[in-house]
Amino acid sequence: MPVTALDTSADTGTGRGKDAGKKGRKRWLAAPAVLAGFCALSVALFWDGWTDLGTTIYGGSDAVLFSWYLAWTPYALAHGLDPFVTHFLNAPDGVNIMWSTGVPLLGVLAAPITVLAGPLVAFQVLTTLAPALSGWVMFLVMRRWSAAFPAAAAGLLYGFSPYVIGASYGHLHLSFALFPPILLLLLDDLLIRQRRAARTGALLGVAVAAQALVSEEVLATSAVVAIIAIAILCVQHRDQIRLRAAAAAGGLAVCAAVATVLLAWPLYIQFFGPQRVHGSIQPSDIAVSDLLTFVTPTPLQAIGPDFAVRESLRFSGNAVEVSGYFGLPLLALLAFIALRLRRDPLVALCGPLFAAVAVLSLGPHLHLGGHATGIPLPWRLLELGPVLHNALPSRLSLYLVLAAGAMIAVWLDQARPPRLRAVTGVVTAAALVPLVPATLLPFTTVTPRFFTGPQVDNLPTATTALVVPYPYPQQNIAMLWQAQTGFRFTMPGCYCTVPDRNGRSSFHPEVDPLNSALIAVATGQRTAQAALGQPGLAAAFDHYHLNAIILGPTDHHDELVTLLTTLAGAPGRYVDGVDLWLLNSAPGRS
């Protein structure tokens, strides 16, 4: 069977005799060297977190959320609990973690660190490893098509791209971007080389299941991009479709079977278990790539004129989601490569794929300079489906850097004369300089000694505790405190995806007189006396059958003491950095 499309393996030292042996040794030495280099870069990038390990993290409330998940998974498995459902948050209803980016696979892998050093240290380690490992996997995959140096350049662009750096601000499920390069490699084996399709399909099924337990969103968008890539290949190689369809279909069937078996339990919990949600989790037409995103630097770049950075702040969505920046030099280089090497099979695929995914990343309507024009775009059709309405189009920039990295690797690899090789290297470096990330801003946590010391044992077994500041999306430090106690108590409130009264998704529990009063007093919007006059406050307090109240460090502390003392009916006592009320109600079961 003829081999076409992506099968353009570079001559990386498969000759005979002594030369082949030397090249083979160099090939294997390159992998650990690149990994070490990428890890060093990543440690330097997140250095502040390492100088104050266990206290400083990146990403604010999102970082706290993922630290909680990293602690929950090993705790649940060690205690025979369902890792995909918890009743320790949002008491008494609980949380379906499969709707809340729970990263259970990362929780298992990081369990030794979490158990020995705590969830914040585990989060810092994984945050640091994410760019390095993502870039390294891209390097390993590109070695199929290029020599070590070009593959390393591709890995550097991919692993330390604006997308991955932006996701490093608390979005652990997104910054661990190992799956897309692996998908490229396995689809090349399955669709192009077609060697042992059943084995490749099984490996792909395992990879799909693993990715689903890190980020279902990345899995879904990877599938979309893969379908586009396959369509491009079919157009470019129409004469090969009939020859390859049977083997490819067989491998994909094996993939589906393996993934279904491995994901049966978590998917059953997600779609048929308790606290499942309906409808869109994310708002539409917000986190999209502005048309100017691709050429406008953001605060995440170290280099960029102030006026351009200010312009990027006008784009819709969170600043860390504006991750499609490439800069004019790199875009010009990619256009040149696409034209100059248009006959190379990998470039012929990645050029059109880059353009198609860039259009999809613009979202359902065109945004220009921060203004929604109302002009409809292709993503509008895709988000009508059952899965993609929960994906954020701006995050498709992950696949843009994948395609860009592959194109650059091929270009560098095909520069044969030494002088030309040096020129291409310098040009590539110059094009990548605008993407150098800025210094990342850390977030410092404060944990009262009560939660990590012996005094927490004063809480009765199976305690339900109201922890203040009350946990909600903008302030969820109580979730970290709970995890640091080893889940000594359950508590109302959370920053998580839960159903509202209509079953639709919400990032916080239903508003009631108690949590609204606690948040209003903690943020200075209301005094304690005004909050105590709120109708239904006492009934809402009694609804939770609380055994304890724990007030940690917070703004408007004295007002909260007044509010909580009145609700508890007696003053609390100060214990190791917190105000503690032990109530008379008998502990319930968690």
Side-chain angles (χ1 to χ4, degrees), residues 25-192:
R25 285 192 294 273
K26 289 182 179 179
R27 179 183 178 90
W28 288 109
L29 287 174
V34 170
L35 177 60
F38 285 177
C39 285
L41 284 175
S42 200
V43 169
L45 189 64
F46 299 103
W47 182 247
D48 287 340
W50 288 99
T51 58
D52 197 6
L53 193 60
T55 300
T56 299
I57 50 178
Y58 297 87
S61 60
D62 285 329
V64 170
L65 175 70
F66 281 97
S67 297
W68 190 96
Y69 290 144
L70 293 176
W72 167 252
T73 300
Y75 175 86
L77 294 175
H79 290 80
L81 303 176
D82 189 338
F84 307 118
V85 175
T86 182
H87 291 281
F88 282 81
L89 294 176
N90 191 34
D93 298 318
V95 177
N96 188 322
I97 289 178
M98 286 303 296
W99 287 102
S100 299
T101 63
V103 293
L105 179 59
L106 297 183
V108 170
L109 295 176
I113 302 173
T114 305
V115 171
L116 292 174
L120 289 181
V121 175
F123 180 84
Q124 173 67 16
V125 171
L126 291 176
T127 297
T128 305
L129 284 176
L133 290 180
S134 298
W136 189 59
V137 169
M138 180 66 174
F139 161 80
L140 294 177
V141 168
M142 289 311 302
R143 290 291 275 133
R144 172 168 288 186
W145 293 282
S146 74
F149 173 73
L156 181 66
L157 171 60
Y158 181 78
F160 295 87
S161 63
Y163 166 88
V164 173
I165 299 306
S168 296
Y169 276 107
H171 291 166
L172 191 60
H173 64 311
L174 302 176
S175 63
F176 252 84
L178 281 63
F179 179 71
I182 293 173
L183 179 62
L184 171 65
L185 185 74
L186 293 176
L187 287 181
D188 180 45
D189 279 340
L190 182 61
L191 304 177
I192 308 305

Side-chain angles (χ1 to χ4, degrees), residues 161-162 296-304 309 322 325 434-438:
S161 63
T296 307
T298 74
L300 294 179
Q301 276 73 58
I303 302 172
V309 173
V322 182
Y325 175 64
L435 272 63
V436 172

Side-chain angles (χ1 to χ4, degrees), residues 397-413:
S397 58
L398 171 63
Y399 309 100
L400 297 180
V401 291
L402 177 72
M407 294 169 67
I408 286 175
V410 171
W411 184 58
L412 291 173
D413 188 68

Side-chain angles (χ1 to χ4, degrees), residues 364-543:
H365 299 93
L366 180 66
H367 288 232
L368 181 60
H371 302 287
T373 66
I375 299 174
L377 295 171
W379 184 263
R380 186 180 181 185
L381 297 176
L382 292 181
E383 71 176 2
L384 296 177
V387 176
L388 293 176
H389 60 274
N390 285 322
L392 300 184
S394 64
R395 294 174 179 175
L396 291 172
S397 58
L398 171 63
Y399 309 100
L400 297 180
V401 291
L402 177 72
M407 294 169 67
I408 286 175
V410 171
W411 184 58
L412 291 173
D413 188 68
Q414 293 191 11
R416 288 290 180 259
R419 182 174 298 178
L420 179 58
R421 194 170 300 166
V423 171
T424 58
V426 170
V427 171
T428 300
L432 294 180
V433 163
L435 272 63
V436 172
T439 301
L440 301 182
L441 301 177
F443 167 76
T444 300
T445 64
V446 176
T447 300
R449 189 173 181 273
F450 173 82
F451 295 104
T452 57
Q455 292 292 343
V456 76
D457 293 336
N458 289 331
L459 297 179
T461 303
T463 289
T464 298
L466 174 64
V467 184
V468 184
Y470 178 85
Y472 69 110
Q474 288 73 36
Q475 173 58 279
N476 63 340
I477 192 67
M479 293 174 59
L480 175 62
W481 296 341
Q482 181 196 48
Q484 289 174 320
T485 69
F487 298 96
R488 178 75 184 183
F489 53 84
T490 64
M491 65 182 186
C494 69
Y495 170 26
C496 44
T497 305
V498 294
D500 63 14
R501 66 182 63 186
N502 299 313
R504 303 190 71 82
S505 65
S506 174
F507 286 145
H508 53 79
E510 195 79 24
V511 175
D512 65 24
L514 177 62
N515 58 39
S516 62
L518 290 170
I519 294 172
V521 173
T523 55
Q525 300 176 39
R526 192 178 302 174
T527 64
Q529 290 301 322
L532 287 168
Q534 184 171 334
L537 179 61
F541 180 81
D542 293 338
H543 166 75

